[in-house]
Amino acid sequence: LLVAPVTKAGVTTHEVYLPPGRFVDFHTGALLDGGKPITTQAPIGRVPMYVRAGAIIPMQAPREYTDQVIEDTRFIDVFAGANGSLELVEDDGKSFAYRKDGLARTQVDVQASAASTAIMLGARTGAFVPKERTLGIRLHGVDKGSALLDGQAAEVSWDAASRTVSIAFPDDGKAHRVMFTHEAPPPGQTEIDVALEVTLPAGTPDG
């Protein structure tokens, strides 16, 4: 995860060097080729962030303390464009049970191509069993598509602003396969609103 904050007052764009490889703009979903500097937009309230293609980042809803009771969803955020793998390790967040295998382990593997992304979740192992919750799979950096959950059509949500497609289902600890079919936006594609005002001389005919 490459974070490139602006450190000067009044600056809303600045130059950032992306290391070699492919990256996904966290906010817009644009695919970018690295190994060169880019000019990034940094309006007030948004910190520029770039994620290497193929990265897998677990996330959860904000909470004030580790065992706060909230409607819980565990997110697995996948960034399109490359293969990836991750072992998700969890514990109860408050005791020393993790020292005696009080853990939950879930293997996550991603196989990516230009037209599809397969996400394989292994069966959860270990002595710790998380509370009942929803599992959300979010794929960043693609144009709207469809999804299969264990071979069956699944309802998807689409966020056009961040180019993120997602599905959600109960986290039962079993092995699952999620297959997204999609199109990737062209490398470096971004959405820019341009205001253009043209003043014509008096007497210019319409059309």
Side-chain angles (χ1 to χ4, degrees), residues 146-169:
S146 59
L148 298 175
L149 173 60
D150 299 327
Q152 302 296 317
E155 182 178 354
V156 301
S157 298
W158 166 244
D159 184 346
S162 64
R163 289 194 177 93
T164 301
V165 61
S166 61
I167 70 168
F169 53 92

Side-chain angles (χ1 to χ4, degrees), residues 90-164:
E90 304 173 89
D91 64 11
D92 62 18
K94 59 183 179 180
S95 75
F96 294 103
Y98 68 91
R99 295 180 176 178
K100 298 181 179 180
D101 196 35
L103 300 170
R105 299 177 183 271
T106 305
Q107 181 65 33
V108 184
D109 294 296
V110 175
Q111 295 178 350
S113 70
S116 66
T117 302
I119 302 167
M120 283 73 67
L121 303 174
R124 188 164 57 229
T125 62
F128 173 63
V129 179
K131 296 178 181 178
E132 183 176 337
R133 64 187 182 186
T134 299
L135 187 62
I137 308 295
R138 301 189 292 205
L139 179 63
H140 300 252
V142 298
D143 282 337
K144 187 176 181 179
S146 59
L148 298 175
L149 173 60
D150 299 327
Q152 302 296 317
E155 182 178 354
V156 301
S157 298
W158 166 244
D159 184 346
S162 64
R163 289 194 177 93
T164 301

Side-chain angles (χ1 to χ4, degrees), residues 22-152:
R22 300 194 77 192
F23 290 82
V24 179
D25 185 313
F26 184 87
H27 300 289
T28 69
L31 296 178
L32 303 166
D33 291 322
K36 59 185 178 182
I38 64 168
T39 298
T40 184
Q41 303 294 319
I44 293 176
R46 191 176 82 182
V47 177
M49 294 191 294
Y50 302 92
V51 187
R52 191 177 292 277
I56 305 168
I57 303 179
M59 296 190 185
Q60 65 181 19
R63 59 184 66 199
E64 296 182 5
Y65 47 92
T66 56
D67 58 349
Q68 180 183 9
V69 178
I70 60 174
E71 183 177 349
D72 199 9
T73 299
R74 172 54 49 87
F75 296 101
I76 304 293
D77 286 78
V78 176
F79 294 82
N83 297 340
S85 64
L86 168 79
E87 184 183 43
L88 174 62
V89 181
E90 304 173 89
D91 64 11
D92 62 18
K94 59 183 179 180
S95 75
F96 294 103
Y98 68 91
R99 295 180 176 178
K100 298 181 179 180
D101 196 35
L103 300 170
R105 299 177 183 271
T106 305
Q107 181 65 33
V108 184
D109 294 296
V110 175
Q111 295 178 350
S113 70
S116 66
T117 302
I119 302 167
M120 283 73 67
L121 303 174
R124 188 164 57 229
T125 62
F128 173 63
V129 179
K131 296 178 181 178
E132 183 176 337
R133 64 187 182 186
T134 299
L135 187 62
I137 308 295
R138 301 189 292 205
L139 179 63
H140 300 252
V142 298
D143 282 337
K144 187 176 181 179
S146 59
L148 298 175
L149 173 60
D150 299 327
Q152 302 296 317

